[in-house]
Coordinates of all heavy atoms in Angstrom, one line a residue:
F56 N -16.4 59.7 -175.8 CA -17.5 58.8 -176.1 C -18.7 58.8 -175.4 O -19.8 58.7 -175.9 CB -16.9 57.4 -176.1 CG -15.9 57.1 -177.2 CD1 -14.9 56.0 -177.0 CD2 -15.9 57.7 -178.4 CE1 -14.0 55.7 -178.1 CE2 -15.0 57.3 -179.5 CZ -14.1 56.3 -179.3
K57 N -18.6 59.1 -174.1 CA -19.8 59.2 -173.2 C -20.5 60.6 -173.4 O -21.7 60.8 -172.9 CB -19.3 59.1 -171.8 CG -19.0 57.7 -171.4 CD -18.7 57.7 -169.8 CE -18.6 56.2 -169.3 NZ -18.6 56.2 -167.9
G58 N -19.9 61.6 -174.0 CA -20.5 62.9 -174.2 C -20.3 63.8 -173.1 O -21.2 64.7 -172.8
N59 N -19.4 63.7 -172.2 CA -19.2 64.4 -171.0 C -18.7 65.8 -171.4 O -17.7 66.0 -172.1 CB -18.0 63.8 -170.1 CG -17.8 64.5 -168.9 OD1 -17.9 65.7 -168.8 ND2 -17.5 63.8 -167.9
V60 N -19.4 66.8 -171.2 CA -19.2 68.3 -171.6 C -17.9 68.8 -171.1 O -17.1 69.3 -171.8 CB -20.4 69.1 -171.1 CG1 -20.0 70.6 -171.4 CG2 -21.6 68.8 -171.9
Y61 N -17.6 68.5 -169.8 CA -16.3 68.9 -169.2 C -15.1 68.3 -170.0 O -14.1 69.1 -170.3 CB -16.2 68.5 -167.8 CG -14.9 68.9 -167.1 CD1 -14.6 70.2 -166.8 CD2 -14.0 68.0 -166.8 CE1 -13.5 70.7 -166.2 CE2 -12.7 68.3 -166.2 CZ -12.6 69.7 -165.8 OH -11.4 70.1 -165.4
T62 N -15.2 67.0 -170.4 CA -14.2 66.4 -171.1 C -13.9 67.1 -172.5 O -12.9 67.3 -173.0 CB -14.4 64.9 -171.3 OG1 -14.6 64.3 -170.0 CG2 -13.2 64.2 -172.1
Y63 N -15.1 67.4 -173.2 CA -15.1 68.1 -174.4 C -14.4 69.5 -174.2 O -13.6 69.8 -175.1 CB -16.5 68.3 -174.9 CG -17.0 67.2 -175.7 CD1 -17.6 66.1 -175.2 CD2 -16.8 67.1 -177.1 CE1 -18.1 65.0 -175.9 CE2 -17.3 66.1 -177.9 CZ -17.8 65.0 -177.2 OH -18.3 63.9 -178.1
Q64 N -14.5 70.2 -173.2 CA -13.9 71.5 -173.0 C -12.4 71.3 -172.8 O -11.8 72.1 -173.6 CB -14.5 72.1 -171.7 CG -15.9 72.6 -171.9 CD -16.5 73.1 -170.6 OE1 -16.3 72.4 -169.5 NE2 -17.3 74.2 -170.7
W65 N -12.0 70.4 -172.1 CA -10.5 70.5 -171.9 C -9.8 69.7 -173.1 O -8.7 70.0 -173.5 CB -10.0 69.8 -170.6 CG -10.2 68.5 -170.2 CD1 -11.3 68.0 -169.5 CD2 -9.5 67.4 -170.6 NE1 -11.2 66.5 -169.4 CE2 -10.1 66.2 -170.0 CE3 -8.3 67.2 -171.4 CZ2 -9.5 64.9 -170.3 CZ3 -7.8 65.9 -171.4 CH2 -8.4 64.7 -170.9
A66 N -10.5 68.7 -173.7 CA -10.0 68.2 -174.9 C -9.8 69.0 -176.1 O -9.0 68.8 -176.9 CB -10.8 66.8 -175.2
S67 N -10.8 69.9 -176.1 CA -10.7 70.8 -177.2 C -9.5 71.8 -177.2 O -8.8 72.2 -178.2 CB -12.0 71.7 -177.4 OG -12.1 72.6 -176.4
M68 N -9.1 72.0 -175.9 CA -7.8 72.7 -175.8 C -6.5 71.9 -175.9 O -5.6 72.3 -176.6 CB -7.7 73.4 -174.3 CG -8.7 74.4 -173.9 SD -8.6 75.8 -174.9 CE -10.2 75.7 -175.9
L69 N -6.6 70.6 -175.6 CA -5.4 69.8 -175.8 C -5.3 69.5 -177.3 O -4.1 69.5 -177.8 CB -5.9 68.4 -175.3 CG -4.9 67.2 -175.5 CD1 -3.5 67.5 -174.8 CD2 -5.4 65.9 -175.0
V70 N -6.3 69.4 -178.0 CA -6.1 69.1 -179.4 C -5.5 70.3 -180.3 O -5.0 70.1 -181.3 CB -7.4 68.7 -180.1 CG1 -8.3 70.0 -180.5 CG2 -7.3 67.8 -181.3
L71 N -5.5 71.4 -179.7 CA -4.9 72.6 -180.3 C -3.3 72.4 -180.3 O -2.7 72.9 -181.3 CB -5.2 73.9 -179.5 CG -6.6 74.4 -179.6 CD1 -6.8 75.6 -178.8 CD2 -7.0 74.6 -181.1
L72 N -2.7 71.7 -179.4 CA -1.3 71.3 -179.6 C -1.1 70.5 -180.8 O 0.0 70.7 -181.4 CB -0.9 70.6 -178.3 CG -1.0 71.3 -177.0 CD1 -0.7 70.4 -175.9 CD2 0.0 72.4 -176.9
Y73 N -1.8 69.6 -181.1 CA -1.8 68.7 -182.4 C -2.0 69.6 -183.6 O -1.4 69.4 -184.7 CB -2.8 67.6 -182.3 CG -2.3 66.7 -181.2 CD1 -2.8 66.9 -179.9 CD2 -1.4 65.6 -181.5 CE1 -2.4 66.1 -178.8 CE2 -1.0 64.8 -180.3 CZ -1.5 65.0 -179.0 OH -1.1 64.3 -178.0
L74 N -2.9 70.6 -183.5 CA -3.2 71.5 -184.6 C -1.8 72.4 -184.9 O -1.3 72.5 -186.1 CB -4.4 72.4 -184.3 CG -4.6 73.5 -185.4 CD1 -5.1 72.9 -186.7 CD2 -5.5 74.5 -184.8
M75 N -1.3 72.8 -183.9 CA 0.0 73.6 -184.0 C 1.1 72.7 -184.5 O 1.8 73.2 -185.4 CB 0.5 74.2 -182.6 CG -0.4 75.2 -182.1 SD 0.3 76.1 -180.7 CE 0.5 74.8 -179.6
E76 N 1.2 71.5 -184.0 CA 2.3 70.6 -184.6 C 2.1 70.3 -186.0 O 3.1 70.4 -186.8 CB 2.3 69.2 -183.8 CG 3.5 68.4 -184.3 CD 3.2 66.8 -184.3 OE1 2.0 66.5 -184.1 OE2 4.2 66.2 -184.5
G77 N 0.9 70.1 -186.4 CA 0.5 69.8 -187.8 C 0.8 71.0 -188.7 O 1.5 70.8 -189.8
V78 N 0.6 72.2 -188.3 CA 0.8 73.4 -189.1 C 2.3 73.6 -189.2 O 2.8 73.8 -190.3 CB 0.1 74.6 -188.5 CG1 0.6 75.8 -189.1 CG2 -1.3 74.6 -188.5
V79 N 3.1 73.3 -188.2 CA 4.5 73.5 -188.3 C 5.2 72.5 -189.1 O 6.0 72.8 -190.0 CB 5.1 73.4 -186.9 CG1 6.6 73.3 -186.9 CG2 4.8 74.6 -186.0
R80 N 4.6 71.2 -189.1 CA 5.2 70.2 -189.9 C 4.8 70.3 -191.4 O 5.5 70.0 -192.2 CB 4.9 69.0 -189.4 CG 5.8 68.6 -188.1 CD 5.7 67.3 -187.5 NE 6.4 66.3 -188.2 CZ 6.5 65.0 -187.7 NH1 6.0 64.6 -186.6 NH2 7.2 64.1 -188.5
V81 N 3.6 70.8 -191.6 CA 3.1 71.1 -193.0 C 4.1 72.0 -193.7 O 4.6 71.8 -194.8 CB 1.8 71.6 -193.0 CG1 1.4 72.2 -194.4 CG2 0.7 70.3 -192.8
M82 N 4.4 73.0 -192.8 CA 5.2 74.2 -193.5 C 6.7 73.9 -193.5 O 7.5 74.5 -194.2 CB 4.9 75.4 -192.7 CG 3.6 75.8 -192.9 SD 3.3 77.3 -191.9 CE 2.9 78.5 -193.1
S83 N 7.2 72.9 -192.7 CA 8.7 72.8 -192.5 C 9.2 71.4 -192.9 O 10.4 71.3 -193.0 CB 9.2 73.2 -191.1 OG 8.6 72.2 -190.3
D84 N 8.3 70.4 -193.0 CA 8.9 69.0 -193.2 C 9.2 68.8 -194.6 O 8.4 69.0 -195.5 CB 7.9 68.1 -192.7 CG 8.3 66.7 -192.4 OD1 9.4 66.3 -192.9 OD2 7.8 66.0 -191.4
P85 N 10.5 68.5 -194.8 CA 10.9 68.3 -196.3 C 10.3 67.1 -197.0 O 10.3 67.1 -198.3 CB 12.4 68.2 -196.2 CG 12.7 67.7 -194.9 CD 11.5 68.2 -194.0
A86 N 10.0 66.1 -196.3 CA 9.4 64.8 -196.8 C 7.9 65.1 -197.2 O 7.1 65.5 -196.4 CB 9.5 63.7 -195.8
P87 N 7.6 64.8 -198.4 CA 6.3 65.1 -198.9 C 5.2 64.1 -198.2 O 4.0 64.6 -198.0 CB 6.2 64.7 -200.4 CG 7.6 64.4 -200.8 CD 8.5 64.3 -199.6
V88 N 5.6 62.9 -197.8 CA 4.6 62.0 -197.2 C 4.3 62.5 -195.8 O 3.1 62.6 -195.3 CB 5.2 60.6 -197.1 CG1 4.3 59.7 -196.3 CG2 5.4 60.0 -198.5
S89 N 5.4 63.0 -195.1 CA 5.2 63.5 -193.8 C 4.5 64.8 -193.7 O 3.6 65.1 -192.9 CB 6.6 63.8 -193.1 OG 6.4 64.0 -191.7
A90 N 4.7 65.6 -194.8 CA 3.9 66.9 -194.9 C 2.4 66.6 -195.2 O 1.6 67.3 -194.7 CB 4.6 67.8 -195.9
A91 N 2.1 65.7 -195.9 CA 0.8 65.2 -196.2 C 0.1 64.7 -195.0 O -1.1 65.0 -194.6 CB 0.7 64.1 -197.3
L92 N 0.8 63.9 -194.2 CA 0.2 63.3 -192.9 C 0.0 64.5 -191.9 O -1.0 64.5 -191.2 CB 1.2 62.3 -192.3 CG 1.4 61.0 -193.1 CD1 2.4 60.1 -192.6 CD2 0.0 60.2 -193.2
A93 N 0.9 65.5 -191.9 CA 0.7 66.6 -191.1 C -0.6 67.4 -191.5 O -1.3 67.9 -190.6 CB 1.9 67.6 -191.2
G94 N -0.7 67.4 -192.7 CA -2.0 68.1 -193.3 C -3.2 67.5 -192.8 O -4.3 68.0 -192.4

Side-chain angles (χ1 to χ4, degrees):
F56 284 157
K57 285 186 167 187
N59 185 322
V60 171
Y61 179 73
T62 304
Y63 274 85
Q64 290 174 316
W65 67 262
S67 66
M68 296 297 113
L69 173 67
V70 83
L71 291 177
L72 295 171
Y73 295 85
L74 176 65
M75 286 188 308
E76 184 215 11
V78 168
V79 168
R80 288 184 77 172
V81 160
M82 299 178 110
S83 65
D84 208 325
V88 173
S89 191
L92 293 170

